[in-house]
Amino acid sequence: MKKIQLLIMVLLLVAVYSCKKESTNQPATSQYVKYIPASFNIQSSQLKAAPPATAFYDMIVYKGTKPNFSYVDGSEFFPGSTPQIEWAAWAKYPHYFGSPFVAITYCPIMPLRTVTEIFNNEKNVAYLAINDFTPDKSLFPLAITCKRLGDVLIVNKDAIASIPGYHFDVKVDYELSTIDVENTGKNSWATPGDTWPQYLYSGTTQNSKTLLASDNGANGDVSIYDDVQAKITGITLTITDANSNTTIVKPVDPSAIGKGLKLVLKSTNTGWYDSGNPNITSEDITVVPEDVNIDK
């Protein structure tokens, strides 16, 4: 009897071990992710009061975490499923929208980076937002603030133009660094709140504009650069007056990303006047007769 009981115990142990082994060899948790509908409310943050006109929006969706981002391409979902088919259909996987209210029906539940772009009428990206998050129902609708790209440079020379005797020409030399929007969107930091992206550049050009003393159009605020494709990364002012043999070279620090720059040129020096040839005349004294009575 003891032998039978021992045999039964051995058989039970073998069975339990076999079950555990079989369970261990089962496939790991599915590689495919779930999805939820996601909605976004896109806003824009300006560099100045008059923003560039906007034409349309797009949103590019990456998966992963920095620096290992790749496009969401449908491989995240079960083959043949509606999400897989729809995500695989987009070239480079951007979603294009005609309004700031964006919806993604099949938003994968995994670490994501969304890069939201607002285009101007010239089809250049005028605004950019970078958001890193893992989708959750409580996040949506997610408010996205797109930051104005590019730069603004204004020069006003009225104060030095009013100095008597001088006739200043102002030459503005400035370096433009072209913003690599795709590289910036994928490799810069996220832009929540008031954070502007760290621009990544694809090249630089040297530019110049001269405000002549005789140019009536140079009065008041003069726009040197106001566009979205590049950031000013260097400024040098050369102020000259040939009549007085005056040359002043002033390097100026460019503005930080997210800020424009207005340069108001001033001086504490006094001016001078050319009196020309004086008209010299002489005036004699006048003899005034006066009678003196000598009678006692």
Side-chain angles (χ1 to χ4, degrees), residues 200-211:
L200 301 175
Y201 302 112
S202 60
T204 60
T205 60
Q206 303 300 322
N207 302 267
S208 178
K209 184 170 183 175
T210 300
L211 313 184

Side-chain angles (χ1 to χ4, degrees), residues 8 21 34 90 137 140 173 209 223 231 234 255 282 291:
I8 292 173
K21 186 175 182 180
K34 298 179 180 179
W90 285 301
K137 287 184 178 181
F140 302 112
D173 292 301
K209 184 170 183 175
S223 177
K231 178 78 179 75
S255 62
S282 60
D291 295 337

